[in-house]
Amino acid sequence: MTMATNAPAVIATDLVKSFGDVRALDRVSLEVQAGTVLGLLGPNGAGKTTAVNVLTTLLRADSGHAEVAGIDVLRHPGAVRRRIGLAGQYPAVDESLTGIENLTLVGRLNHLPTAQCRSRAAELLEQFGLAEAGRRFAKTYSGGMRRRLDLAAALVARPSVLFLDEPTTGLDPRSRIDLWKVIEDLVTQGTTVLLTTQYLEEADRLADRISVVDGGQVIAEGSPSELKSRMGGTLVEVRLDEQSQARRVAELLTDAGDGRVSSQGTLVRVPASNGTAVLAEVVRRLDAQNLSPRGLQLREPSLDDVFLALTDRFAEDEQIRSTG
Amino acid sequence: MTTTSTGISSAGTNGRLGWAIRDTAAMAGRNLRRLMRQPEQIMFNLVSPIMFTLLFRYVFGGAIGGLQGLNYVNFLIPGIAVQTVLFSAGVTGFALADDLQKGFINRLRSLPMARSAVFGGRVAADTLNNALGLIILLATGFAVGFRPANVPGLVLAGLLLLLFALAVSLGYALVGLSVRSPEAVNAATFPIIFPLTFASSAFVPVETMPSWLQGFATHQPVSVVINAARSLILGDTATPEQRDLLLGGSGTASLVLQSLAWTIGIGVVFGLLCTRRYRNLTA
Ligand SMILES: Nc1ncnc2c1ncn2[C@@H]1O[C@H](COP(=O)(O)OP(=O)(O)OP(=O)(O)O)[C@@H](O)[C@H]1O
Ligand SMILES: [Mg+2]
């Protein structure tokens, strides 16, 4: 068990990393409190993997400062490697070895005693549903099995800080939920996790805090509920058959909710922080006009909304900046 | 001071060197396993020295002159030995490029292992593989009439060749980490390794080559190593004329020292370049 400390387990300050003309990281700052999960979200090419690679010592930042488990990443990379586990975006297993051999090798290279290498390998294969496949060569594994083996390899030395780059990409729903449980257990035991993901449901469920990156910069930061509340509260969504109809309905409902009504394509959104009252009003007005929408629902804003709104706005700003 | 408990304690309190050796052993074990699971690779290593020996002994051998009365088989085997180890050393580069391409190197780079073990484990396994090739070659050689003057000389010659191959394999390693695909390693190294192997004293006496080529063919490192190996193998049986015309005119000790100098030079330069390249890999 680790002591609950308040010191951040990961601190990154103004990290910059360029590949030629591409600024993959453009003054990125992050912080992960010990024993918590930070979700790193962002569209393709945002710089998530680059950030993970810098923090796990695979890449050297051009400038900036980073500490993992209290150790300076640039000055003492070797000491950092003793405390971290990494499952990269692409599984890094040796295909010509069996599952057991892969994990035992990682154990040996982590300098665990031989007996522990074996017992730990068996334990992890069991935990990741690979006990049956442990004696088979990894080249005979399916994509999802390889990924699970790679995740197991990241856990061999019981690292205090775990970096997972899109850990559930390519996993079936069952394995995904299993992995979520594994991560939650590790966090209860005091492990700190930094994970990137394209699945916002995953971030919502696992992450204590979320940093959204785009174009190498952190464009938003907060807990999942903080980010969602930025989108305003509950919404009534009306879906219609045609765009022209949607525009008419948006006008009709202008003052039905308690905020600005918006329409996008065939969809009309009415802010409804006092929920069902607004829903009833919307139904009454549509009914009075003999309009029957294709769909009607009351819903909480999701992280998807947040993500799309944030990254859209960012893209627009970029465009304005580059044209103006 | 930071003290962290990792749940599992590391074994003992060993120095860096102790761990580096253990990491190297772990990696060498992994590489040998991998090699044994690629039967086509092993077959190639076994078959190619046999084929080359038979080819030169029976197809080209009759046309090769200028041997100062030396039996061609005794001249030939050290040459084929160098060619065998130089070509097999390529495995080092192919295997590293493959590991890099498949992402396995990234896994290694995130572990607290000694970085030198990535190369140490590689060349250790490849040197064993190479030694096996030499044994096959020797057996073939004996079958077609190869007769070394004495056993210690033969053993020393073998060690000299393996050491030279080890140094060269670090060159291959550098290429493997730079081009990132096994096929490209071949394309990048062939134009260098081919002339070094054939424009040498490996198969024919340098004397028989055009004069513009003789200077290079006599003094380039592959020839120096072949001459040293030949000199060790022929021992006292080499006549002064043979020494003069076939072995670069130097005595055994001088040839061995020259080879070691080349070997150490090549090994140190490429070893340093490899570790630098490894450190600066862009994930
Ligand atoms: N080795 C490299 N050489 C050149 N450019 C690179 C390299 N690695 C990353 N980049 C560039 O840096 C930027 C950030 O890449 P990165 O892989 O960090 O994105 P990401 O957020 O992980 O994206 P994805 O969701 O697609 O995995 C991209 O523009 C990418 O093209
Ligand atoms: Mg990525």
Side-chain angles (χ1 to χ4, degrees), chain A residues 48-49 89 165-166:
Chain A
K48 304 179 294 293
T49 298
Q89 184 166 0
D165 197 354
E166 301 196 18

Side-chain angles (χ1 to χ4, degrees), chain B residues 135-153:
Chain B
I135 290 170
I136 302 287
L137 170 64
L138 263 189
T140 317
F142 278 120
V144 299
F146 173 58
R147 295 293 176 265
N150 58 65
V151 175

